[in-house]
Amino acid sequence: MNTELTERYLRAAIAGLPAATQDDVRTELTALIMDATEARIDQGEEPPAAERAVLTELGDPAILAAEYADRPLHLIGPRYFLVWRRLLKLLLWIVPAVAVVGVAISQALVDAPLGTLIGSPSAWASAPPSTWPSG
Amino acid sequence: MVWRMSDTFDIHLQELRRGTVVLACLQLLRAPGYGYGLLEDLARHGFVTDANTLYPLLRRLEKQGFLTSEWNTDEARPRKFYRSSAAGEQLADTLTSEWRALTGAIASLTADAPTNEES
């Protein structure tokens, strides 16, 4: 019977895997952990300390789960990193530019000072219809 | 994090060793083997690797068709045994010849390497 610590470890290590693989990995890992723990107990370690040492040596179960799932542990890999960075720099000035233009247009339409337009929500609600350009 | 000379050495050493663990596994698993025992065998032969690297590696090699696996239910605790497939043994042979070629190539480099007096 697995201890609670090992159970929690196993659950974390099989997270994200397809169901059939989960059972397989769980059974395989259980035996590996148990055997390693027993080897340490045979060498004189206390069972809880041995178990903890084995699991610590196995490392972060989330990393193990990612390795089992062949999931890359990064979002943007080397192949697209430069493209992404160029795009980001481009957007960093395009988006504010568009925002400023958008605000300027609405300012011209409502004919109010820029500050009040951005600052007070009521400026949008209470803009008198007569200020809309006619024709 | 203080960057020491030994850290850069470690990275290069790791790069050099990385491929050899695959070859070592394929060779050792010509006879059926169990993950935990394999870890000890590798260590005994001088191949430095961690459990959290080896176990997923074995699965990956099985997925690629170089290993076959079988559950051993002789004891109450089922254990997964791996063994090199025909393709795995072929890959082991190919990697070994490549290794020999590289060894010869490096040996020729050190044989021809200019000594300090010649510069």
Side-chain angles (χ1 to χ4, degrees), chain A residues 21 24-25 27-32 34-36 38-39 57-59 64 67-70, chain B residues 34-37 40 50-53 55-60 63 71 77-80 82:
Chain A
T21 318
D24 201 85
V25 174
T27 315
E28 188 183 11
L29 261 184
T30 308
L32 291 166
M34 294 282 142
D35 286 343
E38 278 169 15
E57 208 174 39
L58 264 180
L64 201 55
E67 292 275 329
Y68 273 124
D70 262 331
Chain B
Y34 170 56
Y36 183 61
E40 304 193 312
D50 300 317
N52 56 22
T53 318
Y55 300 154
L57 174 65
L58 293 175
R59 276 206 176 241
R60 212 171 295 135
K63 197 154 89 171
W71 284 104
R77 187 180 299 162
R79 293 185 177 87
K80 196 173 226 205
Y82 291 93

Side-chain angles (χ1 to χ4, degrees), chain B residues 37-81:
Chain B
L38 188 62
L39 201 58
E40 304 193 312
D41 288 342
L42 285 169
R44 226 178 339 111
H45 281 95
F47 293 96
V48 179
T49 187
D50 300 317
N52 56 22
T53 318
L54 180 64
Y55 300 154
L57 174 65
L58 293 175
R59 276 206 176 241
R60 212 171 295 135
L61 288 173
E62 185 190 6
K63 197 154 89 171
Q64 293 169 346
F66 298 121
L67 295 175
T68 55
S69 69
E70 212 173 57
W71 284 104
N72 177 305
T73 47
D74 290 346
E75 296 170 33
R77 187 180 299 162
R79 293 185 177 87
K80 196 173 226 205
F81 275 69

